[in-house]
Amino acid sequence: MLASKKLNRRDFLRLAGAASAAALVAACAPQPTATPVPQPTEKPAAQATEAPKPTEAPKAAPKVTGKVEMWVQFYTPTDDMVWSEDNPLPHNQVKVLAQEYMDANPGVTIDIIAKPSQVADHEWIVTQQAGGTIPHVVWTHSFWVDSEIDKGWWVALDPYMAEPNPYVAAGQPGSAKWMDQFFEVPTKSKRSPDGKLYVVPIDLVTTFFFYNVDLFAKYGVEAPKTWGDFISVLDKIKTGGGIPYAPLGWYESQIGGMLYNKVSESINPTKDVISLEMAACAIKAGKYRATNPEYAEWMKFVKKLIPYLAPDWADANADFNRKFLNQETAIFEDGTWRFGYLRANSLLKFKWSTFFAPTITTADSTFATGEGANPIGGATAAQWAPTTRGEKEKILPLVIDILRFYTAPQNAGRFISECGAFLPNIKGVDVVQELKDPLKAISEGIGEAGMLVYGDKVDTETREKMTPIWTDWKLGKIELADAQAKLDALMTAYADAAIPKNNWKCS
């Protein structure tokens, strides 16, 4: 069991600083961009976790046979296990585990499929669901599921989570109830508005600013701790002829979170997970509206960063990872997965390190409390969800058993550690010493789930309509008042529809 004491954001920041570049974690994970590594046949020595050795053959599955298709996003095996510039992190443990399961269970086939890389994840999921060709297990975001519950696409896991995982040793978390395997706080944040769990949250992430230590020395700057420090660093780099950083990522939300801390405390005094119900009711009550002065301050602060970004910051096809590797930008905002890629790349011609989101102090804004930013992330990377296709084909017991097999610590540790990209959301998966404190912080902390302003506090459709308005504001195509009015209309329309639809009782 976890300790009952929760780490606050200041504790997390302290731990993040102590762990530095070789240690911490990162955010909602897209498929990483390839980075070059030197030796085609040499495996990088550094790993984020220590992979447990296989212990025993899997126990017998339910008396169900058939073919189970799985798409596991980041963990999809690479075409081969040869290191090259185009294959910087070869991995195949998910495939190896599938074979072990099949060897122990004749009549069962596990097919690890690859999604076309040119198709966006959610677009592909929706298309496959609509066509009835969706795999039996799919990586998906819980906030996508939130908007799709009434479509009958996803299986509620709660009754299965209340049963034992037969692949966990007696007396260990999960041996009595499968749910006990997973860290409580980040897993709690994955529940949908109906209170049910539809995804298996396998690992943990958070975000950082990666920076070029050599360029920082050249421009005479150090890693910033506050907003004022950050602007000073950016300004010195730009004045010196450099491009400070890109892309502007999750820090945009962290800025809003810090400026809304006072409001958040009034609706969430326990600093627990902010539910969709709480957020919608805050909108209805006028506490979280785009017309709030806090919201205007948020938009202004974000706009201040735009002059310091790479000129093509708004280009969805820009390769900012490549720019960082080529020393074209001094700072690169990215997630946990980047640690593995940077450690593996001995062709790098510079030293690198990380810093956490700079804090907006009371001197920077009257809306700030001086409290540090919520860490972005939590259980937001590998979220494997069983689809109702398994029910229709009468093989759901087999699908669930396979998920239990993969999430047993001795098995999950093998594929999580293989790439060194994420931390486990599964108890009993060991990590190297320098990651133990960060794991404690991210597994016990609330993270983005405690942020009123985070994008997943409204539905997917509303969020997708709000994004281009924000982009127009950052590009200078729309005035602040007009942007606020348009955003506010979307937010209030969402709340007006969501509250009666979900029978939320706003007090």
Side-chain angles (χ1 to χ4, degrees), residues 175-238:
S175 61
K177 293 182 180 180
W178 186 20
M179 177 64 81
D180 293 342
Q181 282 188 239
F182 305 95
F183 291 114
E184 288 85 352
V185 174
T187 302
K188 177 182 178 181
S189 70
K190 299 291 96 181
R191 290 194 175 278
S192 288
D194 62 359
K196 298 178 182 178
L197 185 69
Y198 292 88
V199 300
V200 181
I202 291 172
D203 54 27
L204 300 166
V205 292
T206 196
T207 56
F208 292 90
F209 288 95
F210 295 81
Y211 70 97
N212 185 317
V213 174
D214 298 339
L215 286 180
F216 267 45
K218 173 183 175 181
Y219 295 115
V221 297
E222 297 180 350
K225 296 181 179 179
T226 68
W227 170 266
D229 294 339
F230 191 37
I231 294 298
S232 178
V233 167
L234 299 177
D235 195 60
K236 287 180 180 179
I237 294 173
K238 184 176 181 180

Side-chain angles (χ1 to χ4, degrees), residues 61-64 68 101 160 390-391 393-404:
K63 299 301 181 181
V64 178
V68 174
Y101 188 95
Y160 307 103
E391 288 181 327
E393 296 180 0
K394 302 185 185 307
I395 59 169
L396 183 59
L398 176 60
V399 172
I400 297 297
D401 192 74
I402 290 171
L403 283 170
R404 287 172 173 160

Side-chain angles (χ1 to χ4, degrees), residues 14 38 50 68 113 129 157 178 181 191 260 315 335 375 377 488:
R14 175 180 57 78
E50 298 169 351
V68 174
I113 70 168
Q129 287 277 25
L157 288 162
W178 186 20
Q181 282 188 239
R191 290 194 175 278
Y260 261 97
D315 182 357
D488 193 68

Side-chain angles (χ1 to χ4, degrees), residues 115-130:
K115 178 189 72 66
S117 59
Q118 68 273 18
V119 182
D121 291 348
H122 193 226
E123 177 185 347
W124 180 80
I125 290 171
V126 170
T127 301
Q128 297 298 309
Q129 287 277 25

Side-chain angles (χ1 to χ4, degrees), residues 15-43:
L15 292 172
S20 189
L24 259 161
V25 275
C28 311
Q31 190 69 23
T33 306
T35 58
V37 293
Q39 302 297 329
T41 58
E42 179 184 344
K43 185 171 182 177

